[in-house]
Amino acid sequence: MRRRSLLLAVPAGLLTLAGCGDDKADKAKSSDSPSPSNSTSAAPTAKIVDGPVPEITKGTKFGQKPTVAKGNGKPSSDLAVKTLIQGKGAEVKKGDYLQANYLGQIWATAKVFDNSYDRGSPTVFPIGVGQVIPGWDQALVGKKLDSRVELAIPPKLGYGTEGNKQAGIKGDDTLVFVVDLVGTFNAKSSAKGKEVAQSNIDLPKVGTNTDGKAPSIDVPKKKDAPKKLVATYVLEGDGDEVKETDSLLCQYKGVLWADGKEFDSSYKSGQLAQFQLAQVVKGWAQGLTGKKVGSRVLIVIPPELGYGDQPPQGSTIKKDSTLVFSVDILAKA
């Protein structure tokens, strides 16, 4: 499973389907959750200045992995923020899920401690709400997508006086980041793929609206539930195929096959779901693997791949329920 970003300050929230008592899920939680060295709940408000920041010597274009020189002289004790490439996309807002590529290194040594470019896909995380180090929260809100921004972050806005031993960061290290702002998502985001015919009368029909509102899910009446997992496109995106080791950012709605009643929904909670496939029920993990980012997927989960005879406490899901989901795959996270 690919290594998670070191810039995260706290582990990402888990989808409500997670925590089924599966050994694989438990191992995934322990091995992939970030190990922060500080809390951002009382982060100081930064004074933002425009430098100094080190020179980028190679990979100067948006989307290219940069090579960054060692810091020259003493870094600022304030938060240094310089926009290297001014994008023309939407403005990053507080509370958005920001999708970004980045490289991080230490000012004094130019030692690279983390970068998303080598992992092959951008990182996705909430911005401006204490889920990443304070320097990111305070520097990137208000910037426009398609911009490249360089940051020099003093210790008080990074990992504090304890540093981050996992990354080799000491408590007095100023951190340098180059960040490419790729995309944003929020509670109104929807998949934008092409419509795929829903011609099987034995399967539920899912709405194709892309206005950020929950799609309808119409379960066929007087039809027996499928005995095997169903995972089929409603809207087919053109992004990368999902791997079983991936983390995803999704919108979703779940209803019961038995009566069509909704039991869970990210649209209703107003909070996107960010999770690792290893941490959700098998029906989700198997159904979403191989599907393309940007798609809406109908998943019908038989009991043995859902909750079986152990439904979540306090839920309207009964024992041996067949579950029906509409899932919008917004991004690999």
Side-chain angles (χ1 to χ4, degrees):
M1 189 170 291
R2 70 180 178 87
R3 185 166 61 87
R4 295 292 301 278
S5 163
L6 286 171
L7 65 91
L8 295 174
V10 296
L14 302 181
L15 180 67
T16 53
L17 286 177
C20 304
D22 185 306
D23 289 341
K24 182 179 179 183
D26 292 339
K27 290 176 182 177
K29 290 177 189 176
S30 63
S31 63
D32 282 81
S33 294
S35 299
S37 58
N38 70 316
S39 170
T40 61
S41 59
T45 300
K47 177 183 177 182
I48 296 179
V49 295
D50 61 4
V53 293
E55 180 186 3
I56 297 179
T57 58
K58 293 181 181 179
T60 58
K61 295 181 180 180
F62 184 90
Q64 292 181 335
K65 179 183 175 181
T67 300
V68 185
K70 185 170 67 172
N72 184 18
K74 186 177 180 180
S76 174
S77 60
D78 298 314
L79 176 59
V81 181
K82 184 175 183 179
T83 300
L84 304 177
I85 298 173
Q86 180 62 62
K88 297 181 179 180
E91 185 176 291
V92 177
K93 296 179 180 179
K94 182 178 180 180
D96 282 349
Y97 278 80
L98 176 61
Q99 184 179 44
N101 270 311
Y102 69 94
L103 178 140
Q105 67 183 46
I106 296 171
W107 173 282
T109 64
K111 177 187 175 183
V112 175
F113 57 82
D114 194 17
N115 86 91
S116 67
Y117 300 92
D118 288 347
R119 292 196 285 271
S121 63
T123 297
V124 179
F125 48 86
I127 191 71
V129 291
Q131 298 294 296
V132 291
I133 56 176
W136 276 60
D137 271 344
Q138 297 180 34
L140 298 180
V141 171
K143 298 298 183 184
K144 292 187 176 182
L145 298 183
D146 302 324
S147 295
R148 169 169 279 194
V149 183
E150 187 172 6
L151 316 175
I153 301 177
K156 63 183 178 182
L157 298 173
Y159 294 99
T161 56
E162 293 184 6
N164 186 316
K165 292 181 180 180
Q166 177 187 358
I169 297 169
K170 295 181 295 185
D172 59 352
D173 280 333
T174 290
L175 309 180
V176 176
F177 286 96
V178 176
V179 188
D180 289 335
L181 307 180
V182 177
T184 54
F185 304 92
N186 57 42
K188 299 297 183 182
S189 296
S190 292
K192 302 293 185 181
K194 294 182 179 179
E195 290 189 25
V196 175
Q198 301 180 68
S199 55
N200 189 336
I201 62 173
D202 295 327
L203 293 179
K205 299 296 185 290
V206 178
T208 57
N209 57 297
T210 58
D211 56 0
K213 296 181 180 179
S216 59
I217 303 178
D218 297 321
V219 179
K221 297 179 180 179
K222 298 181 180 179
K223 296 285 187 180
D224 291 334
K227 300 298 183 184
K228 295 183 178 180
L229 177 70
V230 174
T232 184
Y233 285 120
V234 176
L235 304 172
E236 185 174 358
D238 58 4
D240 293 339
E241 290 189 358
V242 174
K243 299 177 183 178
E244 64 181 5
T245 55
D246 282 335
S247 297
L248 300 180
L249 184 71
C250 294
Q251 286 269 35
Y252 71 95
K253 175 181 173 179
V255 304
L256 299 172
W257 180 282
D259 56 16
K261 291 184 178 180
E262 181 180 309
F263 62 85
D264 197 11
S265 170
S266 64
Y267 302 92
K268 182 171 289 186
S269 69
Q271 180 65 51
L272 298 179
Q274 187 174 15
F275 56 91
Q276 296 174 339
L277 282 181
Q279 293 176 326
V280 292
V281 293
K282 292 179 181 178
W284 270 63
Q286 294 178 20
L288 295 179
T289 297
K291 295 296 188 286
K292 297 175 184 176
V293 173
S295 299
R296 176 171 297 165
V297 182
L298 164 68
I299 307 179
V300 183
I301 302 179
E304 63 270 19
L305 296 179
Y307 292 109
D309 62 357
Q310 294 181 323
Q313 291 184 351
S315 135
T316 57
I317 301 172
K318 297 180 180 179
K319 290 183 179 180
D320 299 320
S321 290
T322 295
L323 310 178
V324 181
F325 285 95
S326 169
V327 184
D328 283 17
I329 308 172
L330 301 177
K332 294 205 300 185

